[in-house]
Amino acid sequence: MPLPDTMYCPQQIDIPPELPDILKQFTKAAIRTQPPDVLQWSAAYFTALSEGEPLPVKDRMETSVKTQKTDTALTPGLLKVLHKQLSSKKDVSKEELEQKWKGLCLPAEQLNTLLTLGNFSTEVDWMHFFALGCSALSGTIISALKFACEILSEDPEGGAARIPFHTFIELYTYLAQLDGDIPQDEIDSFLSSLHEPVTRRGGMVQPSDFADLDV
Protein backbone atom coordinates (compact mmCIF):
# COMPACT_ATOMS: atom_id res chain seq x y z
CA MET A 1 0.00 0.00 0.00
CA PRO A 2 1.58 3.30 -1.05
CA LEU A 3 2.34 5.84 1.64
CA PRO A 4 0.17 8.93 1.57
CA ASP A 5 1.74 12.12 0.29
CA THR A 6 3.22 14.08 3.18
CA MET A 7 1.81 17.55 3.51
CA TYR A 8 3.95 20.35 4.85
CA CYS A 9 2.97 23.81 5.90
CA PRO A 10 5.33 26.78 6.18
CA GLN A 11 5.42 26.43 9.95
CA GLN A 12 6.97 22.95 9.63
CA ILE A 13 9.90 24.01 7.43
CA ASP A 14 12.68 25.97 9.06
CA ILE A 15 14.70 27.74 6.35
CA PRO A 16 17.73 29.64 7.69
CA PRO A 17 17.29 33.28 6.68
CA GLU A 18 20.85 33.47 5.31
CA LEU A 19 20.49 30.42 3.04
CA PRO A 20 19.09 32.20 -0.05
CA ASP A 21 21.94 34.73 -0.09
CA ILE A 22 24.56 31.99 0.49
CA LEU A 23 23.22 30.02 -2.47
CA LYS A 24 23.00 33.16 -4.62
CA GLN A 25 26.62 34.11 -3.91
CA PHE A 26 27.75 30.51 -4.46
CA THR A 27 26.02 30.38 -7.85
CA LYS A 28 27.54 33.68 -8.97
CA ALA A 29 30.99 32.51 -7.81
CA ALA A 30 30.66 29.25 -9.75
CA ILE A 31 29.67 31.13 -12.91
CA ARG A 32 32.66 33.49 -12.60
CA THR A 33 35.16 30.74 -11.80
CA GLN A 34 33.87 28.02 -14.18
CA PRO A 35 35.49 25.09 -12.28
CA PRO A 36 35.91 21.92 -14.36
CA ASP A 37 34.97 19.81 -11.32
CA VAL A 38 32.07 21.56 -9.60
CA LEU A 39 31.86 19.12 -6.69
CA GLN A 40 35.57 19.38 -5.87
CA TRP A 41 35.52 23.15 -6.15
CA SER A 42 32.31 23.39 -4.10
CA ALA A 43 33.94 21.50 -1.24
CA ALA A 44 36.83 23.99 -1.27
CA TYR A 45 34.40 26.91 -1.51
CA PHE A 46 32.28 25.97 1.48
CA THR A 47 35.31 24.92 3.53
CA ALA A 48 36.86 28.36 2.99
CA LEU A 49 33.52 30.04 3.70
CA SER A 50 33.05 28.17 6.98
CA GLU A 51 36.61 28.97 8.11
CA GLY A 52 36.48 32.64 7.11
CA GLU A 53 39.26 32.25 4.55
CA PRO A 54 39.55 33.85 1.08
CA LEU A 55 37.25 32.01 -1.30
CA PRO A 56 38.50 30.11 -4.38
CA VAL A 57 36.67 32.52 -6.66
CA LYS A 58 37.86 34.52 -9.65
CA ASP A 59 37.13 38.24 -9.82
CA ARG A 60 35.56 37.71 -13.24
CA MET A 61 35.20 35.13 -16.00
CA GLU A 62 38.28 34.60 -18.14
CA THR A 63 38.54 34.00 -21.82
CA SER A 64 41.03 31.43 -23.09
CA VAL A 65 44.63 32.49 -22.52
CA LYS A 66 46.15 32.16 -25.98
CA THR A 67 49.53 33.58 -24.95
CA GLN A 68 50.47 30.73 -22.67
CA LYS A 69 53.57 28.80 -23.63
CA THR A 70 51.75 25.52 -23.20
CA ASP A 71 48.14 24.52 -22.85
CA THR A 72 48.08 24.52 -19.05
CA ALA A 73 45.17 24.77 -16.66
CA LEU A 74 46.72 27.64 -14.70
CA THR A 75 45.39 31.06 -15.72
CA PRO A 76 46.07 34.60 -14.47
CA GLY A 77 42.71 34.59 -12.71
CA LEU A 78 43.43 31.34 -10.87
CA LEU A 79 46.93 32.47 -9.93
CA LYS A 80 45.38 35.64 -8.49
CA VAL A 81 43.01 33.49 -6.43
CA LEU A 82 45.93 31.49 -5.06
CA HIS A 83 47.74 34.73 -4.22
CA LYS A 84 44.75 35.98 -2.24
CA GLN A 85 44.56 32.67 -0.39
CA LEU A 86 48.25 32.20 0.40
CA SER A 87 50.11 35.53 0.32
CA SER A 88 49.39 36.45 3.94
CA LYS A 89 52.43 34.35 4.93
CA LYS A 90 55.93 34.53 3.46
CA ASP A 91 56.24 30.74 3.56
CA VAL A 92 53.37 28.31 3.09
CA SER A 93 53.41 24.60 3.70
CA LYS A 94 53.55 22.32 0.70
CA GLU A 95 50.47 20.58 2.09
CA GLU A 96 48.44 23.80 2.21
CA LEU A 97 49.53 24.75 -1.30
CA GLU A 98 48.49 21.33 -2.60
CA GLN A 99 45.11 21.71 -0.90
CA LYS A 100 44.40 25.14 -2.41
CA TRP A 101 45.67 23.98 -5.81
CA LYS A 102 43.38 20.96 -5.74
CA GLY A 103 40.45 23.12 -4.64
CA LEU A 104 40.82 25.10 -7.88
CA CYS A 105 40.80 21.83 -9.87
CA LEU A 106 44.31 22.47 -11.19
CA PRO A 107 46.37 19.50 -12.42
CA ALA A 108 48.71 17.91 -9.88
CA GLU A 109 51.31 17.35 -12.61
CA GLN A 110 51.71 21.07 -13.16
CA LEU A 111 52.09 21.74 -9.44
CA ASN A 112 54.74 19.03 -9.16
CA THR A 113 56.61 20.55 -12.09
CA LEU A 114 56.67 23.99 -10.46
CA LEU A 115 57.70 22.60 -7.08
CA THR A 116 60.52 20.66 -8.69
CA LEU A 117 61.64 23.65 -10.75
CA GLY A 118 61.81 25.80 -7.61
CA ASN A 119 63.48 23.03 -5.61
CA PHE A 120 61.00 23.57 -2.78
CA SER A 121 60.83 21.25 0.20
CA THR A 122 58.08 21.14 2.84
CA GLU A 123 57.98 24.95 3.03
CA VAL A 124 57.37 27.09 -0.05
CA ASP A 125 58.40 30.73 -0.40
CA TRP A 126 55.11 32.06 -1.73
CA MET A 127 56.46 34.94 -3.84
CA HIS A 128 59.00 32.65 -5.46
CA PHE A 129 56.27 30.16 -6.29
CA PHE A 130 54.11 33.03 -7.56
CA ALA A 131 56.96 34.09 -9.87
CA LEU A 132 57.14 30.54 -11.24
CA GLY A 133 53.39 30.59 -11.75
CA CYS A 134 53.70 33.76 -13.82
CA SER A 135 56.49 32.11 -15.80
CA ALA A 136 54.23 29.13 -16.48
CA LEU A 137 51.76 31.51 -18.15
CA SER A 138 54.33 32.87 -20.56
CA GLY A 139 57.43 32.15 -22.56
CA THR A 140 59.81 34.88 -21.38
CA ILE A 141 60.79 36.61 -18.17
CA ILE A 142 59.44 39.91 -19.50
CA SER A 143 56.00 38.48 -20.20
CA ALA A 144 56.02 36.75 -16.80
CA LEU A 145 56.71 40.10 -15.16
CA LYS A 146 53.84 41.68 -17.09
CA PHE A 147 51.51 39.00 -15.75
CA ALA A 148 52.85 39.64 -12.25
CA CYS A 149 52.10 43.36 -12.52
CA GLU A 150 48.59 42.74 -13.82
CA ILE A 151 47.81 40.21 -11.08
CA LEU A 152 49.34 42.09 -8.16
CA SER A 153 48.38 45.64 -9.07
CA GLU A 154 45.69 47.48 -7.14
CA ASP A 155 45.04 49.74 -10.14
CA PRO A 156 41.63 49.41 -11.82
CA GLU A 157 41.39 46.87 -14.64
CA GLY A 158 42.87 48.35 -17.79
CA GLY A 159 44.97 50.79 -15.78
CA ALA A 160 48.72 51.15 -15.50
CA ALA A 161 49.13 47.91 -13.48
CA ARG A 162 51.68 49.38 -11.07
CA ILE A 163 53.36 47.40 -8.30
CA PRO A 164 56.01 48.38 -5.71
CA PHE A 165 59.53 48.30 -7.13
CA HIS A 166 60.81 46.14 -4.27
CA THR A 167 58.26 43.47 -5.21
CA PHE A 168 59.31 43.68 -8.84
CA ILE A 169 62.99 43.36 -7.86
CA GLU A 170 62.27 40.20 -5.86
CA LEU A 171 60.33 38.55 -8.68
CA TYR A 172 62.72 39.50 -11.48
CA THR A 173 65.87 38.62 -9.53
CA TYR A 174 64.50 35.21 -8.61
CA LEU A 175 63.46 34.34 -12.18
CA ALA A 176 66.69 35.69 -13.67
CA GLN A 177 68.90 33.76 -11.25
CA LEU A 178 66.83 30.63 -11.72
CA ASP A 179 67.27 30.97 -15.47
CA GLY A 180 71.00 30.62 -14.96
CA ASP A 181 71.97 32.25 -18.26
CA ILE A 182 71.74 35.88 -17.13
CA PRO A 183 74.94 37.24 -15.52
CA GLN A 184 74.56 39.24 -12.31
CA ASP A 185 75.87 42.41 -13.99
CA GLU A 186 73.04 42.18 -16.55
CA ILE A 187 70.52 41.75 -13.76
CA ASP A 188 71.92 44.83 -12.00
CA SER A 189 71.99 46.82 -15.25
CA PHE A 190 68.35 45.98 -16.03
CA LEU A 191 67.16 47.06 -12.61
CA SER A 192 69.28 50.21 -12.81
CA SER A 193 67.62 51.12 -16.13
CA LEU A 194 64.27 51.22 -14.33
CA HIS A 195 65.43 53.48 -11.52
CA GLU A 196 64.56 56.83 -13.16
CA PRO A 197 60.95 56.10 -14.21
CA VAL A 198 60.28 54.27 -10.95
CA THR A 199 61.62 57.19 -8.88
CA ARG A 200 59.40 59.63 -10.78
CA ARG A 201 56.43 57.42 -9.95
CA GLY A 202 57.06 57.22 -6.23
CA GLY A 203 58.64 53.77 -6.19
CA MET A 204 56.10 52.05 -8.43
CA VAL A 205 56.93 50.11 -11.60
CA GLN A 206 54.56 49.29 -14.45
CA PRO A 207 54.79 47.14 -17.61
CA SER A 208 55.35 50.12 -19.90
CA ASP A 209 58.63 50.78 -18.06
CA PHE A 210 60.20 47.53 -19.22
CA ALA A 211 58.10 46.27 -22.14
CA ASP A 212 60.72 47.21 -24.74
CA LEU A 213 63.79 46.29 -22.73
CA ASP A 214 65.87 43.28 -23.69
CA VAL A 215 66.25 40.98 -20.71
Side-chain angles (χ1 to χ4, degrees):
M1 179 177 177
L3 295 174
D5 291 338
T6 304
M7 300 297 292
Y8 292 98
C9 63
Q11 291 77 11
Q12 292 175 289
I13 304 174
D14 183 19
I15 300 177
E18 65 272 18
L19 180 60
D21 186 60
I22 289 175
L23 294 179
K24 179 181 179 181
Q25 296 304 320
F26 166 75
T27 302
K28 291 168 67 175
I31 292 172
R32 288 203 306 274
T33 307
Q34 297 285 301
D37 186 331
V38 176
L39 290 178
Q40 180 172 296
W41 174 82
S42 298
Y45 178 93
F46 285 110
T47 296
L49 184 64
S50 67
E51 297 178 355
E53 298 178 348
L55 300 175
V57 179
K58 293 180 184 179
D59 292 339
R60 61 191 62 82
M61 288 183 63
E62 289 183 287
T63 56
S64 178
V65 184
K66 301 298 185 182
T67 57
Q68 291 179 204
K69 184 177 180 181
T70 57
D71 185 21
T72 63
L74 187 64
T75 67
L78 292 175
L79 186 55
K80 186 172 184 176
V81 171
L82 286 170
H83 184 71
K84 289 180 179 179
Q85 293 179 312
L86 298 170
S87 62
S88 61
K89 296 177 287 187
K90 182 183 185 303
D91 296 315
V92 299
S93 69
K94 183 179 177 181
E95 181 180 3
E96 183 179 8
L97 175 55
E98 289 172 341
Q99 180 186 25
K100 300 302 185 187
W101 188 274
K102 182 179 179 181
L104 290 171
C105 309
L106 290 166
E109 297 80 5
Q110 187 178 23
L111 175 59
N112 291 334
T113 297
L114 294 176
L115 291 173
T116 300
L117 183 61
N119 196 29
F120 299 113
S121 57
T122 57
E123 293 293 313
V124 178
D125 183 303
W126 170 248
M127 289 307 291
H128 288 177
F129 184 89
F130 175 81
L132 290 176
C134 291
S135 181
L137 297 172
S138 61
T140 66
I141 293 180
I142 283 292
S143 55
L145 294 171
K146 290 179 182 177
F147 275 119
C149 288
E150 291 165 2
I151 293 170
L152 297 177
S153 178
E154 296 183 0
D155 290 334
E157 184 179 7
R162 298 166 297 177
I163 65 172
F165 192 36
H166 64 83
T167 300
F168 180 90
I169 291 173
E170 179 181 4
L171 297 174
Y172 167 67
T173 302
Y174 175 71
L175 290 177
Q177 292 177 343
L178 193 65
D179 178 272
D181 292 330
I182 304 177
Q184 185 61 46
D185 60 339
E186 289 188 19
I187 295 175
D188 296 339
S189 176
F190 171 65
L191 293 175
S192 177
S193 69
L194 298 177
H195 185 266
E196 183 178 348
V198 166
T199 300
R200 290 199 308 266
R201 204 173 293 110
M204 304 293 283
V205 64
Q206 61 192 41
S208 61
D209 293 331
F210 57 85
D212 299 326
L213 295 176
D214 183 21
V215 191

